[in-house]
Amino acid sequence: MRLPLRSFSIFRSLFSHRKQTSHPQRRGLSGVGMRLVQFHRHGEEGSIRVGVEQGDGGLGVVDLKAFDPSMPSTMRELLGLGDEGLQCAQRALSSGQCVLQRSDIRLLSPVLAPEKVVCVGMNYRDHCLEQDAPIPKEPIIFSKFPSAITGPYDDIILPPESQEVDWEVELAFVIGRRGKHIKEEDALSYVVGFTVANDVSARDWQMKRNGKQWLLGKTFDSFCPLGPALVTTDAVKDPHSLGVRCLVNGDTVQSSNTDQMIFRTEALVAWVSKFVTLTPGDVFLTGTPPGVGVFRKPPIFLKKGDVVECQIDQLGSVINKVV
């Protein structure tokens, strides 16, 4: 799906409602915010690069490896370097050198092939109410295979095995350093940044098939559009007061705010790290607000030709055509 250039910079300031809260300790580079991306140049589809967006996503992209050839080519490797990698990215951005024009590149998911894609079910109260489900007392955790991840402007592929493919706009965050048994008050220091996700879901496979285990219905190829950038924690004023919206063919189908989440970022990091070691590049999808298609009367599902836009204030939009 080829988009006009202006689509990369729209939907940046969709919501004005914000609530200021104090934060626990942040990761390194306090006070310095960046928008990190993965991309390849047109004609070089096999060559992944890491970049830093200039401005608020509407200008050029600084090619990190061109600025410093010792830097890695993937986001996961960059995050594995810890503060050293982020500091190099900041120097590259400040230099104003090695800038590529938007027309010369294709944005990829900001993280590819993470070790884990951790998903949270029923994490908005109104989403529980729309399906007559009880409010969970502890996080409901499931997963997608990393192969489900696709780019912010790539197509969503309707699988012939499903007739009930649905949308779910979600706030996602990415782990920046290794940790186990992380305390909730320290949790944000393990988060490198936030991005936008669409937890595309085949409801027939999620709710009726496969013993009603969610995995297969959530993990078809292309069922996790992610992006457009990994916005570092210092660039997000308050991740728990962000406007969240999903549109299908221009019509708003979901509209909420992350302040409605039951379990916030800190609680999710602390909970999941009780069970598994978190590593740089791990992706968390934090749950969807009400308005999904399956619980509408009558239910509505995606069809070929639809365009789904998932938007989150301060982070941007993923815009995906259904094919």
Side-chain angles (χ1 to χ4, degrees):
M1 177 183 179
R2 188 178 298 273
L3 296 171
L5 291 179
R6 67 183 185 89
S7 296
F8 292 104
S9 58
I10 60 176
F11 307 131
R12 298 185 211 127
S13 302
L14 296 168
F15 308 95
S16 59
H17 171 67
R18 291 179 175 84
K19 177 177 65 177
Q20 297 298 322
T21 62
S22 60
H23 291 288
Q25 178 188 3
R26 296 282 189 147
R27 199 177 185 278
L29 295 177
S30 177
V32 177
M34 294 180 289
R35 297 177 60 92
L36 302 170
V37 297
Q38 283 191 142
F39 67 93
H40 63 64
R41 296 190 189 209
H42 295 308
E44 299 179 3
E45 281 70 15
S47 179
I48 298 173
R49 307 292 280 248
V50 180
V52 191
E53 289 185 335
Q54 294 182 314
D56 192 16
L59 303 175
V61 171
V62 178
D63 185 338
L64 184 55
K65 197 169 184 65
F67 175 79
D68 184 346
S70 71
M71 286 293 103
S73 297
T74 71
M75 188 74 71
R76 188 175 170 188
E77 292 172 320
L78 178 71
L79 298 180
L81 295 176
D83 283 342
E84 176 189 351
L86 295 181
Q87 288 165 359
C88 181
Q90 175 59 32
R91 289 195 301 271
L93 179 62
S94 299
S95 76
Q97 302 173 12
C98 306
V99 178
L100 300 173
Q101 299 303 311
R102 291 285 186 169
S103 56
D104 295 331
I105 66 172
R106 174 191 169 198
L107 285 186
L108 308 174
S109 166
V111 179
L112 290 169
E115 184 178 284
K116 306 175 197 68
V117 180
V118 180
C119 305
V120 186
M122 295 192 291
N123 198 26
Y124 283 73
R125 289 174 178 82
D126 287 346
H127 181 49
C128 297
L129 295 176
E130 73 175 343
Q131 54 187 301
D132 296 321
I135 306 298
K137 292 181 168 49
E138 58 190 26
I140 298 172
I141 303 298
F142 63 99
S143 182
K144 287 177 177 277
F145 292 144
S147 56
I149 292 176
T150 193
Y153 309 113
D154 293 343
D155 294 335
I156 296 170
I157 302 170
L158 285 183
E161 295 82 4
S162 176
Q163 306 303 313
E164 298 181 357
V165 176
D166 203 351
W167 58 83
E168 290 191 6
V169 59
E170 305 204 8
L171 173 70
F173 64 84
V174 178
I175 296 297
R177 60 190 180 104
R178 186 180 182 89
K180 182 77 183 290
H181 296 296
I182 299 167
K183 295 180 181 179
E184 189 167 333
E185 58 266 28
D186 298 328
L188 270 183
S189 70
Y190 287 81
V191 175
V192 67
F194 297 85
T195 191
V196 184
N198 185 351
D199 179 13
V200 183
S201 305
R203 302 301 188 189
D204 37 9
W205 284 93
Q206 178 189 0
M207 298 177 171
K208 305 170 189 174
R209 306 284 298 275
N210 194 42
K212 299 184 180 180
Q213 296 290 320
W214 291 2
L215 177 64
L216 288 183
K218 294 283 190 172
T219 206
F220 283 96
D221 291 347
S222 78
F223 270 28
C224 189
L226 203 63
L230 175 58
V231 183
T232 60
T233 52
D234 290 306
V236 181
K237 292 181 180 179
D238 182 356
H240 304 122
S241 186
L242 300 175
V244 178
R245 181 179 293 177
C246 180
L247 297 86
V248 177
N249 301 326
D251 296 325
T252 301
V253 293
Q254 291 181 282
S255 183
S256 187
N257 193 288
T258 55
D259 63 8
Q260 298 301 304
M261 289 168 54
I262 301 167
F263 302 103
R264 296 188 172 193
T265 300
E266 300 93 326
L268 296 174
V269 170
W271 177 258
V272 174
S273 71
K274 293 179 180 181
F275 303 93
V276 296
T277 300
L278 301 181
T279 61
D282 286 349
V283 177
F284 278 65
L285 275 60
T286 62
T288 197
V292 296
V294 68
F295 298 123
R296 292 174 176 266
K297 301 184 188 307
I300 300 173
F301 299 109
L302 295 173
K303 61 186 184 302
K304 289 183 179 180
D306 286 344
V307 176
V308 186
E309 305 173 11
C310 293
Q311 312 167 355
I312 299 183
D313 194 18
Q314 301 183 44
L315 305 182
S317 304
V318 295
I319 307 173
N320 309 94
K321 185 177 181 179
V322 180
V323 300

